[in-house]
Amino acid sequence: MVEKSLQATPEGKKAARDALTGLGITQQQLSTRTKLSLSTISKFFNCKPVDRILFVQVCETLKLDWRSISSLYDSEEIAETLEQENQQTAKIDAIVQSIRGSVRSFIQEQCGTMRVLDMTQPIELTGDRGIYTNINVLEKSHRFGSSDEEGVPLPGLVAVSKYKKLIVLGRPGTGKTTFLKFLAVSCMKGDFFADQVPMFAVLKDFAEDEKQPNLIEFIQPFLSSNKIKDLLQQGRGLILLDGLDEVREEYSRRVIKEIQNLLNVHCDNQFVITCRIATKNYASERFQSFTEVEVANFDKRQIETFAHKWFKSKSQSEATIATEEFLSKLAGSSRIAQLATTPLLLTLLCLVFFKKRELPEKTSELYEQAKELLLNEWDERREIKRDVEYRRLSVKKQKNLLSQIALSTFEGQNYSFKLNILTEIEIITSFFRELYKSDSDFDEDELDVKEVMRLFEEKCGLLIKQEKDIFSFSHLAFHEFFTARQIKETRNHDLMEQVASYIVEERCHEVFRLTVEMLPEAGALLRQAKQRIDSLIAEDENLQQFLTWVMQKSDSVSVPYKDGVIRAFYFALAFLHNDFNLTFALDCSFNLFTSDDLALDNTLIWASVGTSTLDHNLDIVIDSCLGVAIEKANGELRHELQELRNQLFAWRNRETLKQLWKENGEAWIEQLRAAIIKHRNIRHDWQFSDEQKEKLQQYHDANKLLVHCLNSDCYVSLDVRQEIEETLLLPISEIGSGRENNVKTTE
């Protein structure tokens, strides 16, 4: 019988320690890499029994043969163990292949096709006519303070192979769901993880299932729970969970608990969860063992590949010419080309170009034109004779009805809506009642709400039927667009006040952004939104003191940038050592290192952060951080930094470093921190509570969206723009105090 646990021999322990040193990592870092607890790693290095699977996992990470360092050193025992393992593996493989055969058609039905908006039937995801294009992702380590284009893109499939537990983040329409479906189909075909069984679930559907099954039952309803559990116990599941951000708030606790239960019991399986970037903290806080990656923008090659596949799906004979013309149009406008980097918007661009041979330049205009074309398709496909109650449903009226449905359901977070909800609030009935108020032939009792929804679903692709009497927009982006459109059309005082509050609600950010872009004059809304942001932390004395420090520190440096830009820099810099990071910085902060003041402060913060975890990175801290800081500093600060650096040089013998650091490290760090505070007024420990951190994150995200809107192609008067820019990140006591008359520069 195969032993369930293994332990290292004394010789194996030495080999493992040498391997750890060779990799230049600590036991803590090994714990992070393997996703195993520090106690497990400690047991491994102390020759204590460790679960066999975990023991092998640690050895693989250290690039060691587990047999050579474990207590199974007898060759006959090893041979017997290997034989038993081979027999067990063969048995498991047979079970896996049997289950794969049972679920093949189910996975194909779930994931094998995708709906292209203007096509009456879904098309294959892959194959000769498929339009799926491989995505790239950016690892989290590349994303701090970086634009989306920076960092080294990693193919999505490689990321899934590299990380056993993965959260895929992305903005609306970046292809997160399609990527999960592609993983499921590729696995089922044997092209990827051929020894595993794919299990795909839309978390919103799971949350709203009236039967409230557990997650295992929902993922594979055609297999017994025991059969699935047996499979998962062997770590052979590829578990794909889509749309964590789309779960309604009242269901979120149950869904999170279900996922965590599955993780706790079956942690050896492969997990991939998708979530919107806007709600990434919602995912990060609950699944800390997961690696985060962000879907990268399509590059030029991916755009070309997708466009050719899309036009080929419409007409094989014209695909090459159409693609060339389309790409030529993209090349002529950087703004259009930027839209094309997102799969959903690229799809809409292809659709608009195919019909009109022209392209819009704004996101809202693109949605508008695409929607117009899709609804016109309805009129082109409809029968000449239509029932009396639908004869006046022109394209314009269709848009108005969809917009009313969108706003009313979005406000209630009903991204999937039952017919009885629409009936209860009488949206469709009231719409037709107004439409036919002067028509004596119209009989309200004959109005069939279900038939209206069916027409939208079958004829234009903007709505889809999920199950009996339950509909949703075909993509959340369309739900958000039509919501914004209704806001623009209505524009009453109460509604605009509500929309201003959207800027501090993560789920509403896209609606807010689209509304700003659509409004003929967005200044009033942005001014209201700015007031809402400021009020978010206005009553918190500690947070106001922090903003006061940001202001005072920014005022103390002499650099050729706007005040708001400098405040953004120091706002972001403060969080490099306060237990959590804001992936900032208002589109600007970390590009300012040409200034000596800002470069010095940035280097000092990183020196302080680096030395607080000093171990194998001693040379980096001495040369790259303190060394650079000393070069940029002068006077007393330079002298104190040099003295601190000399102390580290005295400890350079690695055999004594650990003991010396244990005895003196905290005092050394405190000396460095005191010098930085004294001479540069940075590196304060604000001791924010969890609630304050959450508020600051919300405040940060809302300000970032506000700046994005100001930099977009919306119309805002010069006075309003200047007022907002000059009061960004100011404490509430300073807003309206006349600081706008004290501007350093306009650059």
Side-chain angles (χ1 to χ4, degrees), residues 380-532:
E380 291 172 8
R381 292 174 185 165
R382 72 189 180 193
E383 299 292 335
I384 295 176
K385 289 186 177 181
R386 294 206 299 193
D387 293 338
V388 61
E389 57 263 38
Y390 311 124
R391 68 173 183 267
R392 291 186 184 175
L393 204 54
S394 64
V395 169
K396 182 178 179 180
K397 299 299 183 184
Q398 293 166 37
K399 291 187 289 187
N400 292 342
L401 179 53
L402 284 172
S403 298
Q404 291 180 28
I405 292 172
L407 179 59
S408 62
T409 52
F410 182 84
E411 287 174 342
Q413 298 187 50
N414 294 311
Y415 304 123
S416 297
F417 34 88
K418 297 180 180 180
L419 282 179
N420 61 357
I421 291 178
L422 300 181
T423 303
E424 286 173 9
I425 57 181
E426 290 197 328
I427 289 180
I428 295 177
T429 304
S430 298
F431 180 87
F432 277 93
R433 186 184 297 136
E434 179 65 22
L435 186 61
Y436 287 94
K437 62 183 178 182
S438 60
D439 192 332
S440 58
D441 293 334
F442 176 68
D443 187 349
E444 185 178 314
D445 294 334
E446 293 183 7
L447 178 65
D448 188 340
V449 173
K450 184 184 295 187
E451 178 66 9
V452 175
M453 298 298 286
R454 186 189 66 80
L455 287 171
F456 276 117
E457 187 244 336
E458 291 185 359
K459 302 302 182 183
C460 68
L462 289 170
L463 293 180
I464 57 173
K465 185 176 182 180
Q466 296 191 330
E467 54 184 284
K468 184 179 179 182
D469 293 344
I470 298 179
F471 292 83
S472 70
F473 283 86
S474 55
H475 195 287
L476 184 56
F478 284 120
H479 199 153
E480 292 165 329
F481 165 74
F482 279 107
T483 299
R485 182 183 181 276
Q486 181 64 15
I487 293 168
K488 181 203 73 170
E489 294 295 320
T490 307
R491 271 186 285 172
N492 63 49
H493 179 267
D494 291 341
L495 179 59
M496 296 312 289
E497 275 197 349
Q498 179 180 332
V499 174
S501 71
Y502 282 2
I503 200 164
V504 297
E505 296 182 46
E506 288 179 334
R507 77 174 188 93
C508 301
H509 279 185
E510 189 67 11
V511 170
F512 182 88
R513 188 185 65 79
L514 285 168
T515 302
V516 168
E517 192 174 286
M518 290 182 195
L519 288 174
E521 206 289 319
L525 176 59
L526 291 178
R527 178 183 274 149
Q528 282 182 290
K530 175 65 166 59
Q531 293 168 356
R532 180 68 183 85

Side-chain angles (χ1 to χ4, degrees), residues 326-369:
F326 175 74
L327 295 175
S328 176
K329 285 281 186 182
L330 287 183
S333 170
S334 59
R335 182 168 292 176
I336 301 176
Q338 185 59 38
L339 294 180
T341 60
T342 301
L344 175 65
L345 298 184
L346 179 54
T347 302
L348 299 182
L349 284 169
C350 289
L351 169 64
V352 170
F353 181 79
F354 185 75
K355 296 289 186 179
K356 306 179 72 169
R357 288 301 191 264
E358 293 293 335
L359 292 173
E361 293 202 2
K362 291 171 63 174
T363 307
S364 58
E365 290 175 358
L366 175 58
Y367 280 126
E368 187 71 36
Q369 291 187 24

Side-chain angles (χ1 to χ4, degrees), residues 25-37:
I25 60 175
T26 64
Q27 290 188 24
Q28 176 71 56
Q29 290 167 321
L30 180 62
S31 170
T32 302
R33 285 194 185 187
T34 57
K35 308 292 185 185
L36 301 179
S37 68

Side-chain angles (χ1 to χ4, degrees), residues 83-248:
E83 178 61 27
Q84 291 174 339
E85 285 183 345
N86 290 337
Q87 291 177 1
Q88 187 175 3
T89 300
K91 182 179 179 181
I92 295 169
D93 286 342
I95 294 173
V96 169
Q97 293 308 315
S98 173
I99 294 178
R100 283 169 63 90
S102 301
V103 303
R104 187 179 304 278
S105 59
F106 178 60
I107 291 295
Q108 181 61 34
E109 181 180 348
Q110 264 194 318
C111 305
T113 60
M114 60 187 298
R115 182 72 177 262
V116 180
L117 291 168
D118 65 326
M119 296 182 184
T120 56
Q121 299 295 328
I123 66 171
E124 292 292 318
L125 193 67
T126 58
D128 293 340
R129 303 278 302 207
I131 66 172
Y132 177 77
T133 301
N134 290 324
I135 67 167
N136 292 327
V137 298
L138 297 175
E139 296 182 79
K140 183 178 179 181
S141 58
H142 293 302
R143 289 170 46 235
F144 183 81
S146 299
S147 66
D148 291 338
E149 287 70 34
E150 293 178 340
V152 180
L154 184 72
L157 289 176
V158 174
V160 177
S161 299
K162 184 177 179 181
Y163 301 111
K164 204 160 189 176
K165 296 178 179 62
L166 195 69
I167 291 179
V168 180
L169 303 168
R171 296 186 301 278
T174 51
K176 302 182 295 295
T177 297
T178 309
F179 176 58
L180 282 200
K181 289 185 174 183
F182 176 71
L183 289 177
V185 171
S186 298
C187 179
M188 205 68 258
K189 289 182 176 180
D191 298 334
F192 181 71
F193 286 167
D195 61 343
Q196 296 186 0
V197 175
M199 303 177 186
F200 177 88
V202 177
L203 291 174
K204 174 172 63 65
D205 294 344
F206 166 65
E208 297 175 7
D209 192 307
E210 293 180 351
K211 297 178 182 178
Q212 292 199 341
N214 64 45
L215 192 51
I216 291 179
E217 292 170 343
F218 182 82
I219 287 175
Q220 286 293 352
F222 302 116
L223 294 175
S224 69
S225 294
N226 289 336
K227 203 167 187 180
I228 292 296
K229 287 177 182 177
D230 289 342
L231 175 78
L232 296 177
Q233 283 174 358
Q234 302 301 327
R236 296 296 192 92
L238 174 59
I239 301 169
L240 309 168
L241 305 176
D242 185 42
L244 182 63
D245 57 290
E246 294 185 35
V247 175
R248 290 174 58 177

